[in-house]
Structure formats: structure tokens, C-alpha cells
Amino acid sequence: MANLVSRVEHKAGIRHVRDERFFEWRYRNPLADYRFIFWDRASAPEGYLVLGNRIGRSSIYIADWEATDPEVLGGLLQAAIAWSNPRQDLQTWSATLSPERAVALAQAGFEEAPTPSRYSGRLLARSLGDVEAGGAEATLPRDLADIRDWDLRMIYSDAT
């Protein structure tokens, strides 16, 4: 999975580093069960989709989803839908999805859910650079307060 992530070009913005160490740590979450769907072509991984289920809850969610092209994205989503229990809800976050993922979800019949009222909209950030050394103000290439500058995925949280 880490190899595939490193091969796929990302324009989505600020995100976690999804390397082998991150995946190994994250999928050991004792509060959730995960199911993995992979798409391979000629022995090379072309995509994956991870379904998660918080222990004690009935809904399942798309925790992470990566692919080399829109065809693979759509195929993985169709496989996840076919695998899912029709009595359960299949959910994912959509605020920062790529256009290809948004199209695949819309074509599969996903509907937007209301925004939770408990969202606070607060963000705390601290510069890790040495602003004093150069005497100049620290600048960031992205606006931390703009959600469009982030790549938010359910795997980065406890899916609450």
C-alpha cells in the first residue's frame, strides 16, 4: 500500500505521510476491524480500498482509498459495495475528496449526509521553523484554515 501511495501523484494538499510505518501502526487500531480490497494488474498493485468498522457500531466506512486511475477507483468502490451488508450504512468523508472520487461516489448512489453539529471549526498550528533566524515572517504554501487545502481521510481519525 505504501508503495502504491508513493507512485500516485497527489495534488490534494496537507495530509499524513502514508508509509509502511504509518500503515502498520494505524491498522492495529484495537477499536476497529478492517477489510482490504486490492486491485492488481500484471503483478503490480494499482489500487486499494480499506473498509473499517468501529467495534460496537453497525455502520461501515471507507477508511482509505487509493488508485492509479478512475477506472480502478470505480472498480474498487463497486467491489466494496458488493461486499458490504445491505443492512448497514456505507459511509465516507467527502469534504476534501478528489473530483474522481466524488464522481465515483455519485455514480454509485451515495448521498451527502448533514454536517455534524459538534464540529468546532477550530485549528491549532505551530511553526516548526526558526522564524527568528532569518528575521522574516514564516509563510506556508497553503492556508491551514481552508479545508480545501487538506486531504482528510477517515483513516487519519478514529472515524467518529
Side-chain angles (χ1 to χ4, degrees):
M1 290 170 43
N3 182 301
L4 176 67
V5 169
S6 70
R7 289 183 12 231
V8 175
E9 181 180 344
H10 287 277
K11 299 175 186 173
I14 304 162
R15 62 187 171 94
H16 280 273
V17 172
R18 289 181 295 156
D19 58 12
E20 287 180 33
R21 189 172 171 210
F22 171 78
F23 286 128
E24 182 180 343
W25 165 78
R26 194 60 182 138
Y27 291 122
R28 289 184 185 204
N29 179 359
L31 301 176
D33 290 320
Y34 298 103
R35 300 292 181 262
F36 301 85
I37 302 170
F38 294 98
W39 184 298
D40 291 338
R41 284 190 190 141
S43 302
E46 295 295 324
Y48 69 83
L49 188 144
V50 181
L51 294 172
N53 173 253
R54 293 253 315 162
I55 294 173
R57 295 199 182 162
S58 63
S59 63
I60 58 175
Y61 56 92
I62 298 172
D64 199 11
W65 186 20
E66 199 63 74
T68 56
D69 63 51
E71 176 192 358
V72 175
L73 277 173
L76 288 165
L77 182 59
Q78 290 306 315
I81 292 167
W83 178 84
S84 302
N85 184 333
R87 294 183 309 244
Q88 293 176 306
D89 289 332
L90 179 56
Q91 306 169 349
T92 193
W93 290 348
S94 62
T96 63
L97 284 179
S98 68
E100 296 84 9
R101 284 174 179 79
V103 166
L105 290 169
Q107 289 175 341
F110 279 72
E111 298 174 356
E112 191 167 330
T115 304
S117 60
R118 68 176 190 256
Y119 173 71
S120 68
R122 294 189 177 111
L123 174 70
L124 299 175
R126 181 182 185 280
S127 173
L128 299 177
D130 187 0
V131 177
E132 299 300 320
E137 289 293 320
T139 58
L140 296 172
R142 299 193 180 265
D143 181 358
L144 295 179
D146 187 347
I147 196 168
R148 295 171 298 188
D149 280 345
W150 290 83
D151 176 11
L152 301 176
R153 297 167 185 249
M154 294 184 91
I155 195 58
Y156 300 156
S157 76
D158 285 327
T160 57

